[in-house]
Amino acid sequence: NMNIIIKTPKPYTLTIGDVQDEVVSVHVKVKDILKDMNIELGEKDYTYPELNDNVVTGGEIKIFKVKEVVEETQEVIPHENIVNNSNKLDIGVVKVVQEGKNGLKNIKVKKVFENDKLVSENVIEEKTVEKPVPKIVEKGTRNRLASSRGNTRYKKAITMTATAYDLSYESCGKKPGDKHYGLTASGTKARVGAVAVDPRVIPLGTKLYVESLDGTKDYGFCIAEDTGGAIKNNKIDLFFNTAKEVRNFGRRKVKVYILE
């Protein structure tokens, strides 16, 4: 009176990532087949077909091993650049009021791997460790000069080293009667208001205003008409009528306004 049940093992394909194995089992349900193979799944692992589904003979069971990893990195927060116009500064002048500094933040990223292949990554937390400090720059917009003639517009202001010269041999290397004595490089008469410059910095013929920076009287309005062997780069030579005035002036810093 005994019932005999014969179960014939059936072939299946078991796939994990890029690895495939041919297996046999008397079962047809996925979870039973895996139990037959002593294969245990983690909490987040899954299969296709699902565990409670049946598999046809010769069918494929795909196993997906899922691993989650949280990585923490640091990222620079670029500082902001702020430019403010200022009518207290000459046009063309740029002044750094505050140096900028980049900030720093910690970032936590969750990465999900299926069979050792990255399938997703998401930022789960961002925390600022150090706030960025903006760089603040003031850009000069002032282009009017207050003088005895009223307000005069100018295009640019340059701080230069000023010296002085006259018609003496010590200053110009010429004596009365010499060729070009008393004349500027432009061919005009040397006089108060004619100054020597480096033409690469200030073209000849440019109208200028020379302002004193030490509290003494300004040289005032003048024209770039002359040159000199020692007048290079940011140097300017101012004409005076007497050697005494030249000696008194000496060498000093001035602000030279290039007028419109």
Side-chain angles (χ1 to χ4, degrees), residues 14-223:
L14 194 62
T15 302
I16 303 178
D18 297 328
V19 179
Q20 285 188 334
D21 286 323
E22 300 299 326
V23 299
V24 293
S25 174
V26 297
H27 301 290
V28 294
K29 189 172 288 190
V30 172
K31 67 178 181 180
D32 295 331
I33 297 171
L34 296 184
K35 186 177 181 180
D36 225 8
M37 301 295 107
N38 293 319
I39 294 176
E40 295 184 359
L41 299 179
E43 181 183 352
K44 297 184 181 298
D45 297 343
Y46 66 97
T47 63
Y48 182 82
E50 296 182 3
L51 290 175
N52 290 319
D53 292 344
N54 293 336
V55 187
V56 298
T57 301
E60 181 183 21
I61 302 172
K62 292 183 179 181
I63 297 177
F64 296 89
K65 293 283 189 178
V66 180
K67 180 173 66 174
E68 292 184 353
V69 177
V70 176
E71 293 182 356
E72 187 170 340
T73 59
Q74 286 191 326
E75 185 177 297
V76 171
I77 306 173
H79 66 75
E80 184 182 1
N81 291 319
I82 300 174
V83 179
N84 297 324
N85 291 330
S86 173
N87 60 7
K88 295 181 179 180
L89 298 176
D90 295 319
I91 189 168
V93 174
V94 176
K95 179 182 178 182
V96 178
V97 178
Q98 177 176 279
E99 290 290 350
K101 185 180 179 182
N102 291 333
L104 196 65
K105 64 180 176 181
N106 285 339
I107 301 176
K108 288 184 179 180
V109 179
K110 183 171 74 173
K111 294 184 177 181
V112 179
F113 297 85
E114 289 184 355
N115 296 330
D116 296 327
K117 290 184 179 180
L118 180 65
V119 293
S120 70
E121 57 180 311
N122 297 294
V123 176
I124 58 175
E125 183 182 292
E126 286 190 10
K127 185 178 181 181
T128 299
V129 178
E130 190 173 345
K131 292 183 178 180
V133 177
K135 180 178 181 179
I136 302 176
V137 173
E138 286 188 348
K139 186 178 180 181
T141 58
R142 182 175 62 192
N143 65 346
R144 290 184 181 273
L145 169 68
S147 68
S148 57
R149 300 183 190 177
N151 289 335
T152 303
R153 294 176 65 89
Y154 61 91
K155 296 184 290 185
K156 188 178 181 181
I158 310 173
T159 299
M160 307 183 83
T161 299
T163 51
Y165 75 109
D166 61 0
L167 286 180
S168 66
Y169 181 78
E170 291 77 17
S171 284
C172 64
K174 296 184 181 67
K175 297 179 180 179
D178 289 348
K179 188 178 181 181
H180 303 308
Y181 174 80
L183 298 178
T184 67
S186 301
T188 59
K189 182 181 178 180
R191 67 202 183 282
V192 174
V195 298
V197 297
D198 184 344
R200 297 172 302 176
V201 179
I202 299 176
L204 292 179
T206 302
K207 294 180 180 180
L208 309 170
Y209 185 93
V210 177
E211 179 185 51
S212 175
L213 295 179
D214 59 3
T216 57
K217 183 180 177 182
D218 293 349
Y219 186 77
F221 292 96
C222 52
I223 301 176

